[in-house]
Amino acid sequence: MGQLRFDCPHAGCRTNSSAFTTLNESPIGNQRWHVFAVCASCRHTIIVEATGNHPSEKPSQFGHAEFAKRFSVTAIWPEPPKLSVVEHLDEEIRATYDEAEACYADGHSRAAAMAYRATIELALKNLNPEGKGMLAARIRAMKGTLPDGLIDLLNHVKFLGNEAAHAGAPDIDDLKAGRDFTRLFLTYTFELPARVQAAVDRRVASEASSG
C-alpha cells in the first residue's frame, strides 16, 4: 500500500501534511475511488474520494507525489469542524472567541470551555462595565435583552458556572451547548445590533441623497 499526505481532519490531531498509509481502496465507478487510509500521527482512519486519469491505475500504486499528479481528491471524510464567525466584535473579544473556536476544532475541550467562558466575560464587561456577581447570574440579569430561549440554554452550559470554571474537561454535549450559547450571545448582543444600525444608516443616507 502507498503512503499519501493530507491535513488530518480528526479533532485532537489536525496535523498538517500528515503521512497516511492506505489500508484499502474501493472503485465507485467512472475512475473514482474510495481510499481508506490511517494517519501516522493519531492512528485514526479517513476516507478519501479520488478520481483518476487512467482506468488501469489504482491509488495504492503510487506514493504521494505521483498520486497528486494522477488523481484529483474530491472529498475527505470526516470533514474538519467549521469555525464559526461572528461579525462586529471588538478586537479582544474576537481574538478570544477565535481562540475558543480553534481549540474546539482541535479537540481541546477544556481549553475551548475556558476560552468560551473568557469570551462571555469580556463581552459582559464591554456591555456592562459596572456589572457584578457570578458570570451565570450576570447573564440571567440580561433577561429582556436576550431571548428567553437563549437564557434557558444557559442551564445546559455547566462550565459557565463559577465552580466548574476550574474543573476538568467538560462533557462534549455541554461543550457543544456552550459553543452554541456563546455564538448566539455574541450574535444578539453585537452582530445583530450593528447590522440593524448599518441598515438604518444606509436608509438615512439614501433619503438624504434623494432629498
Side-chain angles (χ1 to χ4, degrees), residues 78-120:
E79 294 181 348
K82 294 181 179 179
L83 303 188
S84 176
V85 176
V86 179
E87 301 293 340
H88 305 290
L89 302 177
D90 74 16
E91 184 175 346
E92 188 175 17
I93 298 172
R94 178 186 300 282
T96 308
Y97 182 60
D98 288 348
E99 178 184 350
E101 284 288 282
C103 289
Y104 176 84
D106 287 340
H108 303 309
S109 56
R110 184 179 182 185
M114 293 173 64
Y116 285 127
R117 178 185 168 89
T119 300
I120 296 295

Side-chain angles (χ1 to χ4, degrees), residues 163-190:
E163 292 182 0
H166 305 290
D171 176 82
I172 186 61
D173 289 335
D174 186 35
L175 180 59
K176 289 179 179 178
R179 184 188 186 215
D180 288 342
F181 179 88
T182 304
R183 176 177 54 81
L184 292 170
F185 179 89
L186 297 176
T187 298
Y188 274 96
T189 54
F190 291 93

Side-chain angles (χ1 to χ4, degrees), residues 136-172:
R138 291 172 60 191
I139 296 172
R140 290 191 182 94
M142 297 189 70
K143 188 176 179 65
T145 301
L146 298 176
D148 289 343
L150 186 53
I151 297 294
D152 291 341
L153 180 58
L154 176 64
N155 296 326
H156 301 281
V157 189
K158 297 181 180 63
F159 65 76
L160 288 180
N162 190 57
E163 292 182 0
H166 305 290
D171 176 82
I172 186 61

